[in-house]
Amino acid sequence: QIWDIATGTLSATIKLPSPVGALALNRESNLAAVACDDLTLRVADLDTLNVVRVFAGHENRVLDLCLSPDSRTLASSGLDGTIRLWDLPTGSAAAVVERLDSPATCLAFSPDGMFLTSAHVDRRGVVLWTDGAVFGLSAPASSASAELAAAAGAVAERAAAAAERSLDRDRDLALVRLSALPLSRVLLAMNLDDVK
């Protein structure tokens, strides 16, 4: 259902064969991607109110999905322990990271679409996937866990090194970080194991 927020009235309905479990919207392209209970992903054009793509491949419930800023790629994660990338223009699967140790519960693209981040069950922090780590590659089932651990370790090392360098820099420089907490609390959280 599509609602007009200004008037509070129902403006349109798109009929789907299965209930929706997750939704992602790209305002620029006016595309909506939904994860349905029948393990399929459907992409609808909100201008024409038609389903334009249907993707199947997850073997268990889809936990999250997101559209890239250019609306060319749809990323999805599921309880089957996979992160899947779907190519919207061709309607085909673009890449699969299979059998992660911990399912990804949340996905997000960077504003430029060059990075995909994922948060995982029973893990602190996020994993940053770069163009070489996921986009266009299919990780073998045996190395997916090692890839995830290596990526998480590399991101943590880079973050710690960047935080250390930022302390030495002039305070007039703009600091870009994902936390709204003061820098001292971010650094404390990063070194919590050493403090204990």
Side-chain angles (χ1 to χ4, degrees), residues 99-115:
R99 308 297 171 232
L100 300 169
D101 284 344
S102 179
T105 57
C106 185
L107 299 172
F109 277 101
S110 63
D112 63 2
M114 295 300 294
F115 301 98

Side-chain angles (χ1 to χ4, degrees), residues 22-171:
L23 168 79
L25 177 67
N26 186 305
R27 286 184 256 172
E28 304 233 350
S29 64
N30 224 15
L31 292 178
V34 295
C36 295
D37 287 350
D38 62 0
L39 306 181
T40 61
L41 306 172
R42 291 177 172 84
V43 179
D45 183 339
L46 298 180
D47 291 328
T48 64
L49 301 177
N50 291 322
V51 174
V52 294
R53 292 281 186 257
V54 178
F55 299 108
H58 283 284
E59 298 169 8
N60 204 333
R61 187 169 69 95
V62 176
L63 296 173
D64 196 25
L65 68 162
C66 64
L67 287 160
S68 64
D70 64 2
S71 294
R72 297 183 59 82
T73 305
L74 172 66
S76 61
S77 64
L79 279 176
D80 57 1
T82 63
I83 294 176
R84 297 174 183 269
L85 296 176
W86 310 91
D87 185 51
L88 269 65
T90 64
S92 62
V96 179
V97 177
E98 296 185 29
R99 308 297 171 232
L100 300 169
D101 284 344
S102 179
T105 57
C106 185
L107 299 172
F109 277 101
S110 63
D112 63 2
M114 295 300 294
F115 301 98
L116 176 69
T117 58
S118 60
H120 296 262
V121 172
D122 297 329
R123 301 228 178 167
R124 287 186 286 173
V126 297
V127 177
L128 180 68
W129 301 92
T130 63
D131 197 7
V134 171
F135 305 123
L137 299 177
S138 179
S142 61
S143 69
S145 300
E147 252 185 58
L148 179 62
V155 168
E157 286 176 23
R158 286 194 304 269
E164 188 174 319
R165 283 191 308 270
S166 70
L167 286 176
D168 298 333
R169 288 188 187 159
D170 192 16
R171 295 293 178 191

